[in-house]
Amino acid sequence: MLTQPLSKAIRTTPTHLRRLKQMGLESVGDLLTYFPRRYTDKREVTPIIEVKDKEPVVLRGKITSITSNARNFRRRMSITTALISDATGTIEAVWFNQPYLSQQLKKGSEVFVAGKARFHMKKGNFVLQSPEVELVAERQIHAARIVPVYHETELDNPKAVGRISSKWIREKLFPLLPFAEYFEEFLPEDILSEHNLISYSEAVRHAHFPSSEKKLQEATHRLAFNELFLLQLAALYKRYWWRKEGEKHVKKITPDWELIKKFLEGLQWPLTGAQKRSIYEIIKDFEQKYPMSRLLEGDVGAGKTVVAAAAAFHVIRSGYQVCLLAPTEILARQHLKTLRELLTPHSIQVHLLVGSTPEKEKKEIRSSLKSGEIQFAVGTHALLQEKIGFQELGLAIIDEQHRFGVKQRELLKTHGSPHILNLTATPIPRTLALILYGEQELSILDEMPPGRQKIITRIVTEQKRNDAYSWISKQIESGRQAFVICPLVAESEKLDIKAATAEYERLQEHIFPNLRVGLLHGQMKAADKEEQMKKFVQGELEILVSTAVVEVGIDVPNATIMVIEGAERFGLAQLHQFRGRVGRGIHQSYCLLFPSSYSDTAMKRLSALTKYSSGFKLAEIDLQLRGPGEVYGTSQSGIPDLKMASFGDLPLVKKAREAAEKIIEKDPELTQYTSLREKVAENANIGIDF
Ligand code: ADP
Ligand code: MG
């Protein structure tokens, strides 16, 4: 029943069906699980005499007259006018370009109308403009109830043919509601009762057309729980398999704290508390009966490398090899340099293997890895695909895994279940980390090494723009350099580049004619980009204008000014990353935020940036103000698109986690929960074998 195609189940046009398909709605079940975005309460009916100017109302009355003029030639528009009366008064309603209304609505019809009335000066009475209208029937779906509002397509163009409007969805969906009975209950009885959850089919019905506020609340609670629970279950299921598969080949390492102490004594500075804690957590994982799978989170500069190096040191001293995978060659080289500094004094061989490594050298490295002569290989993700064999890989360190998505399963199967340590500089608050990476353990570096300079951050208003430019000139005269980041103006990179080019020309020609300004954007050839960067690093350019897509991963200690145009359009996490590009040398550094809008949220977010320097703190604030999709961008970060649940609802996340844990403990392979197993597979997009 639920799989019945919509083309059979509802009467509609091919255009509508095509639109539905684009929205991913093809079957009855699809439409029934297309849940409202929000609701409007249209239960209270106002007597006509109490209508007030510009206030939304629901009225109930009889149509006392209705006329529809033909298409007005000049304005190409048809107008339908009706008078509606109840016991207390009469009001006028007008609709534009809905000529069919005069066929549906007759003189004498009982109707509900919902909308805003305006006082019409000339006529001296109230007029409802294009209100929603519905005949009074046994069951109301558009008025006199809590009305579901759906995410609409073609919102900006209400005249588009085949537009899937909220009203359209309500009309088509309502008759299908009885089919909700066919949804199978996939949650076990004990979870339903423990968490006071209504059945899935009931939740589906009441999520669309709730009979009361209480029912609505029960329905959204159930559906929110569903989402979080299924994510947690999928995560724990993955963790279960990871451990089970890994048990067979686990490289168990007994912690040797003396060894770690020796390594730390070789450093020039003491570790932060957070670094010590993280090293401890990692080393403790090594003695479990399954391989580690841990995420180490820390702001740029928090000192993740030395933590990873300490872990690698222990693993190597225990007789295993280590590899580190970075998203780009430049980053791989940077890691190589740091790791050699840290590990060569201990006579550990660290080697680089990347795409551009000459074939002959690759061969040698491969054979030395095979023989175990090289203990540490650093490379890009290509390292794993290069058909290399380790003698015995004990630990894989993966830098920014979401950027190239190393499948843990591959590591497990082809490289003998190494311990895995993921590193990320994206500050993800704990709740979100639980939702996103629930299958991994988490270590957080929430403490910066001492002595980092605080970057002075200011919001600059339009009136102060010229002052800011003269200040920048002075800074540059005294020998410093500046970055200028241009905003994302559109979805299209082309337009962004155009804007950046215009900004570059404006600055060069009109603002800083005596300075050397450079431009960097995403569509430049790699060689040109490098050339521009090199010029900036060597001081041949004083100002570098760049689009946001360009990642300047290179240290320019002499650059002390970061100007960000249209600052409020970026997420706080990204602004924080931009800001991290200055303050790398000995000079006091500054970040100037030029907003293009002064809305409340914009100002709140930007002033958070002026106050806080912790990426975690900023991420939390941004999460509250904007939600995770906007903060991290859903497509690339793999953040699930939660429909009913909220990422901020920590208590519910915890409940869902506990419920999922209980099930996995009892029946980790979900053999007794077949429908749950299917749900997990389909929702989490994972093959059922892992
Ligand atoms: P991340 O990879 O987290 O961005 P790095 O590991 O590159 O940060 O460390 C940034 C810099 O801080 C490096 O130059 C490193 O040598 C230094 N550093 C790391 N830990 C400490 C510490 N505890 N005290 C002082 N300096 C440190
Ligand atoms: Mg780093």
Side-chain angles (χ1 to χ4, degrees):
M1 280 314 203
L2 294 170
T3 53
Q4 195 186 3
L6 285 172
S7 54
K8 295 244 168 62
I10 57 178
R11 281 183 57 183
T12 187
T13 68
T15 321
H16 279 93
L17 284 171
R18 209 180 57 236
R19 287 270 154 83
L20 286 171
K21 199 170 166 187
Q22 283 166 1
M23 294 160 72
L25 307 177
E26 295 188 63
S27 68
V28 171
D30 291 342
L31 192 59
L32 282 171
T33 48
Y34 188 70
F35 294 117
R37 192 163 53 96
R38 60 184 177 87
Y39 301 84
T40 45
D41 190 346
K42 292 188 179 166
R43 282 174 298 179
E44 198 184 327
V45 175
T46 307
I48 289 175
I49 196 164
E50 284 175 22
V51 167
K52 292 195 187 72
D53 197 30
K54 290 177 197 150
E55 266 178 29
V57 283
V58 179
L59 308 173
R60 178 182 177 149
K62 236 191 198 103
I63 294 186
T64 49
S65 87
I66 182 157
T67 55
S68 194
N69 73 338
R71 232 170 232 279
N72 178 322
F73 255 125
R74 204 159 36 89
R75 298 175 59 198
R76 296 169 155 260
M77 202 190 275
S78 83
I79 301 177
T80 308
T81 312
L83 289 178
I84 299 157
S85 308
D86 68 4
T88 67
T90 298
I91 195 165
E92 186 179 325
V94 292
W95 293 271
F96 303 101
N97 288 328
Q98 300 185 43
Y100 50 86
L101 278 180
S102 59
Q103 272 140 45
Q104 271 173 24
L105 309 175
K106 297 280 177 234
K107 190 172 161 179
S109 308
E110 278 271 320
V111 290
F112 283 108
V113 282
K116 273 184 204 169
R118 293 264 160 93
F119 190 73
H120 196 289
M121 283 301 202
K122 253 195 237 157
K123 294 182 183 167
N125 59 15
F126 280 105
V127 178
L128 283 160
Q129 233 184 53
S130 302
E132 289 186 42
V133 58
E134 181 177 28
L135 287 168
V136 172
E138 248 168 61
R139 310 197 64 168
Q140 299 306 138
I141 62 173
H142 305 304
R145 65 168 309 120
I146 299 173
V147 179
V149 180
Y150 297 88
H151 194 81
E152 302 187 343
T153 61
E154 314 272 336
L155 255 188
D156 349 337
N157 182 8
K159 280 190 225 147
V161 184
R163 174 172 176 259
I164 308 291
S165 67
S166 264
K167 187 168 183 233
W168 188 94
I169 294 175
R170 287 195 290 269
E171 259 155 33
K172 301 301 174 192
L173 216 155
F174 187 77
L176 298 178
L177 279 187
F179 290 103
E181 268 330 299
Y182 293 97
F183 280 112
E184 233 185 293
E185 181 53 70
F186 53 88
L187 287 185
E189 196 55 53
D190 50 335
I191 288 189
L192 290 178
S193 59
E194 189 183 332
H195 296 277
N196 265 327
L197 300 168
I198 59 173
S199 77
Y200 187 57
S201 48
E202 202 183 348
V204 170
R205 268 187 284 122
H206 286 292
H208 292 292
F209 292 98
S211 56
S212 67
E213 230 153 316
K214 183 160 171 286
K215 284 285 173 207
L216 173 58
Q217 196 267 331
E218 285 173 358
T220 47
H221 177 67
R222 163 72 210 248
L223 296 174
F225 184 89
N226 268 12
E227 279 184 333
L228 296 171
F229 173 78
L230 289 174
L231 282 168
Q232 293 301 329
L233 195 63
L236 292 173
Y237 190 72
K238 271 197 243 176
R239 190 177 79 178
Y240 166 78
W241 279 103
W242 165 255
R243 290 180 174 180
K244 187 179 149 117
E245 288 293 306
E247 265 179 22
K248 298 172 200 154
H249 310 282
V250 63
K251 277 90 184 177
K252 238 179 171 176
I253 298 171
T254 313
D256 180 346
W257 303 111
E258 281 306 310
L259 194 65
I260 291 294
K261 218 171 126 199
K262 234 183 275 161
F263 176 77
L264 298 182
E265 276 164 6
L267 300 174
Q268 288 147 359
W269 17 256
L271 292 188
T272 65
Q275 283 174 317
K276 280 189 213 153
R277 185 177 3 100
S278 300
I279 293 178
Y280 176 79
E281 288 165 352
I282 294 166
I283 306 282
K284 280 299 269 183
D285 273 359
F286 290 159
E287 65 173 341
Q288 302 272 17
K289 59 177 196 284
Y290 40 78
M292 171 176 81
S293 174
R294 183 172 282 276
L295 178 68
L296 176 64
E297 266 190 64
D299 244 337
V300 176
K304 293 183 289 294
T305 320
V306 69
V307 172
F313 178 72
H314 198 310
V315 169
I316 290 168
R317 278 286 180 269
S318 311
Y320 301 105
Q321 287 164 302
V322 177
C323 72
L324 183 146
L325 310 176
T328 65
E329 279 201 31
I330 298 179
L331 288 171
R333 281 175 207 282
Q334 247 173 40
H335 278 301
L336 177 77
K337 189 166 161 279
T338 333
L339 289 168
R340 278 192 169 156
E341 278 164 19
L342 290 166
L343 296 170
T344 321
H346 300 278
S347 334
I348 289 172
Q349 293 275 322
V350 192
H351 279 268
L352 184 76
L353 185 64
V354 290
S356 66
T357 309
E359 205 45 53
K360 186 161 158 275
E361 208 181 317
K362 270 188 190 163
K363 243 187 184 159
E364 284 168 19
I365 294 176
R366 272 199 206 109
S367 83
S368 319
L369 277 173
K370 191 80 205 150
S371 71
E373 196 183 326
I374 293 179
Q375 294 121 320
F376 200 149
V378 176
T380 54
H381 61 296
L383 187 63
L384 288 186
Q385 286 148 15
E386 294 259 355
K387 291 216 174 100
I388 53 164
F390 292 89
Q391 194 193 41
E392 189 137 52
L393 185 64
L395 170 68
I397 302 164
I398 305 171
D399 194 17
E400 300 293 356
Q401 68 156 0
H402 70 268
R403 293 186 39 196
F404 51 85
V406 172
K407 296 248 167 52
Q408 304 223 345
R409 178 163 52 163
E410 284 165 25
L411 274 167
L412 203 138
K413 292 239 163 91
T414 51
H415 295 283
S417 305
H419 297 286
I420 292 186
L421 179 64
N422 287 303
L423 311 180
T424 179
T426 313
I428 305 164
R430 240 172 222 284
T431 351
L432 194 55
L434 197 58
I435 298 174
L436 297 183
Y437 307 111
E439 76 279 14
Q440 297 182 48
E441 311 304 313
L442 188 65
S443 292
I444 297 187
L445 294 182
D446 49 7
E447 198 179 331
M448 281 300 217
R452 290 285 144 82
Q453 67 158 281
K454 192 163 164 17
I455 296 155
I456 297 173
T457 305
R458 295 275 180 270
I459 300 170
V460 186
T461 58
E462 227 22 67
Q463 294 95 301
K464 296 274 180 182
R465 182 178 281 274
N466 288 329
D467 294 351
Y469 285 147
S470 10
W471 177 83
I472 292 172
S473 289
K474 279 205 201 93
Q475 287 285 312
I476 290 176
E477 264 167 45
S478 68
R480 307 284 82 77
Q481 289 166 285
F483 286 104
V484 176
I485 302 287
C486 296
L488 301 158
V489 287
E491 290 293 297
S492 120
E493 198 186 349
K494 265 203 187 114
L495 291 175
D496 289 343
I497 289 167
K498 209 172 142 201
T501 310
E503 177 67 5
Y504 154 74
E505 283 166 3
R506 188 180 74 88
L507 291 176
Q508 178 69 88
E509 283 162 29
H510 303 291
I511 312 287
F512 304 112
N514 303 321
L515 299 178
R516 290 162 300 180
V517 184
L519 174 66
L520 202 63
H521 65 68
Q523 281 188 354
M524 285 164 69
K525 284 199 204 97
D528 294 341
K529 270 193 238 175
E530 236 159 80
E531 181 65 24
Q532 287 287 315
M533 259 333 286
K534 216 166 96 195
K535 277 190 183 166
F536 190 60
V537 173
Q538 292 172 350
E540 289 165 36
L541 294 172
E542 280 98 13
I543 297 176
L544 189 63
V545 178
S546 152
T547 52
V549 286
V550 176
E551 283 188 49
V552 187
I554 298 175
D555 261 0
V556 189
N558 193 47
T560 57
I561 303 167
M562 169 59 65
V563 171
I564 304 170
E565 292 287 346
E568 85 287 353
R569 301 194 198 177
F570 296 105
L572 287 184
Q574 201 177 2
L575 291 169
H576 178 65
Q577 299 267 354
F578 290 148
R579 178 167 65 177
R581 289 182 201 168
V582 295
R584 298 191 168 208
I586 50 167
H587 304 288
Q588 175 61 51
S589 294
Y590 306 87
C591 178
L592 305 184
L593 307 166
F594 288 83
S596 60
S597 141
Y598 295 86
S599 74
D600 268 5
T601 343
M603 283 302 119
K604 257 193 213 144
R605 292 177 50 242
L606 296 183
S607 48
L609 205 70
T610 65
K611 272 194 224 119
Y612 302 109
S613 47
S614 149
F616 285 101
K617 181 79 196 161
L618 291 168
E620 242 162 56
I621 294 173
D622 219 11
L623 210 53
Q624 280 163 13
L625 290 173
R626 297 201 311 165
E630 301 235 13
V631 175
Y632 298 105
T634 35
S635 55
Q636 68 137 25
S637 56
I639 291 189
D641 177 21
L642 289 189
K643 294 197 172 65
M644 307 303 278
S646 139
F647 285 96
D649 192 349
L650 188 58
L652 195 62
V653 173
K654 280 198 175 137
K655 269 188 205 163
R657 173 83 175 189
E658 278 160 25
E661 261 164 6
K662 224 160 126 186
I663 290 211
I664 291 285
E665 254 164 48
K666 212 164 49 182
D667 179 10
E669 301 188 15
L670 303 177
T671 43
Q672 294 158 50
Y673 301 100
T674 30
S675 44
L676 199 51
R677 208 171 123 103
E678 271 164 39
K679 263 280 188 256
V680 170
E682 106 197 22
N683 274 271
N685 261 335
I686 51 169
I688 205 73
D689 65 322
F690 189 53

